[in-house]
Amino acid sequence: MHVPDGFINAPTSAVTAVVAAGAIAVSLRGARRELDDRTAPLAGLVAAFIFAVQMLNFPVAAGTSGHLLGGALAAILVGPFTGVLCVSVVLLMQGVLFADGGLTALGVNVTDMAVVTTVVAYAVFRGLVKVLPRSRRSVTAASFVAALLSVPAAAVAFTFLYWIGGTTDVAIGKVATAMIGVHVLIGVGEAVITALTVGAVLAVRPDLVHGARDLRQKLRLRVNGELVDAPAADAAPAGSAVPAAARTSRRTLWATGLVASLVLAGFVSFYASANPDGLEKVAADKGIDAKTEKHATSDSPLADYGVKDVTNARLSGGLAGVIGVGATVVGGSAVFWAVRRRRGADASPTAVGNV
């Protein structure tokens, strides 16, 4: 789904860049409400994990592969606003360091892969958890459906953008049929990965899953004859669906997630499918790649997920994956800690007194 330079014309790319910048600005403000000292480190890890899993292309049809987009996973784990930022950080790292996704098309990619997938997935997820029984299984099931639908939604969004600003003369109906068809299949893989990951975190630290926050039973106190919500506590009250004593410390969870990301990107990625992904396959079959432009950083030492001058393919790809995970977790964590600190500054007595 990474759109290269040349697929979409300059005016449409410029408009999507404005849309993407606006969405990121809104998300930076919204993320202040979602992030705290517990979840800010997790957000950086989620970005790194998405980067790693996006390197694992899986086969979906003859000669076609797919990979995780990550919007649903990020939104459910750390919140929709933070989720947009997570995927945007990944796209920025991929575009600048690895020449994956055009730089002039960065606005297209952020709009399509970060904003559309996150908004659609979280809307579906919230709708489902409101009608399903309040349980971890319901959260996992809702995660599966939300992720499944988010991928063809991104395909529809790309088709719309191509209809407006595509650089080749191809019947839009053919593009839509091909894009949506293959991305429904890719959505199944997205759904499986998302549900398994959300389920794994729920099993050890459900209190850190943003989408599971409604599982907590709110403690209510009677004050002056009226029931009011008690202040949030670090531990869940007795009888809550979230255990008071977490099975895994935050530090252990973070370290485990980082190691898993490094292994996936540095080792498992070597065995990923080499077939073109859904967009690449459709572009080649339908001729919408006729005016693809060379990436501005195609001569980067890490272009195409390999380390320049390292001749061993396994070692080159593995090193590139490890570098990418490291850069993403550092860059993402810096962003999310800055957002978290800004929230603290806004809530300080001085800030309140100046309102």
Side-chain angles (χ1 to χ4, degrees), residues 183-278:
H183 283 90
V184 167
L185 299 177
I186 294 173
V188 175
E190 178 103 8
V192 171
I193 295 170
T194 300
L196 288 175
T197 305
V198 170
V201 180
L202 278 172
V204 294
R205 286 303 299 260
D207 58 309
L208 296 181
V209 178
H210 181 87
R213 67 194 189 281
D214 288 344
L215 295 183
R216 287 183 179 271
Q217 294 179 357
K218 293 183 178 179
L219 180 63
R220 310 200 76 190
L221 302 176
R222 186 172 296 278
V223 179
N224 297 328
E226 295 183 0
L227 288 175
V228 297
D229 292 336
D234 292 335
S240 171
V242 178
R247 298 181 185 179
T248 304
S249 69
R250 280 180 287 152
R251 183 174 298 178
T252 300
L253 176 65
W254 194 91
T256 302
L258 180 60
V259 170
S261 300
L262 291 170
V263 170
L264 291 173
F267 177 73
V268 180
S269 62
F270 182 79
Y271 301 97
S273 173
N275 291 328
D277 66 23

Side-chain angles (χ1 to χ4, degrees), residues 27 31 34-35 43 46-47 50 70-89 113-115 117-118 336:
S27 297
E34 295 172 346
L35 295 171
V46 168
I50 290 173
L73 177 62
I76 294 164
L77 287 180
V78 293
F81 295 108
T82 308
V84 169
L85 298 178
C86 281
V87 181
S88 298
V89 167
M113 294 178 65
V115 179
T117 59
T118 302
F336 300 126

Side-chain angles (χ1 to χ4, degrees), residues 45-118:
L45 177 61
V46 168
F49 182 78
I50 290 173
F51 175 92
V53 180
Q54 282 197 4
M55 294 183 67
L56 309 180
N57 281 49
F58 48 84
V60 295
T64 309
S65 69
H67 63 70
L68 182 81
L69 297 186
L73 177 62
I76 294 164
L77 287 180
V78 293
F81 295 108
T82 308
V84 169
L85 298 178
C86 281
V87 181
S88 298
V89 167
V90 173
L91 293 172
L92 181 62
M93 292 295 177
Q94 291 170 333
V96 173
L97 296 180
F98 298 93
D100 187 11
L103 294 184
T104 61
L106 186 59
V108 174
N109 287 322
V110 169
T111 300
D112 195 21
M113 294 178 65
V115 179
V116 171
T117 59
T118 302

Side-chain angles (χ1 to χ4, degrees), residues 133-220:
R134 294 175 69 246
S135 68
R136 295 183 195 173
R137 289 184 179 181
S138 295
V139 172
T140 303
S143 301
F144 183 94
V145 177
L148 176 66
L149 296 178
S150 69
V151 179
V156 170
F158 169 79
T159 304
F160 177 73
L161 291 173
Y162 188 81
W163 175 60
I164 295 174
T167 55
T168 57
D169 186 16
V170 179
I172 196 63
K174 294 182 179 180
V175 175
T177 300
M179 282 293 293
I180 296 171
V182 71
H183 283 90
V184 167
L185 299 177
I186 294 173
V188 175
E190 178 103 8
V192 171
I193 295 170
T194 300
L196 288 175
T197 305
V198 170
V201 180
L202 278 172
V204 294
R205 286 303 299 260
D207 58 309
L208 296 181
V209 178
H210 181 87
R213 67 194 189 281
D214 288 344
L215 295 183
R216 287 183 179 271
Q217 294 179 357
K218 293 183 178 179
L219 180 63
R220 310 200 76 190

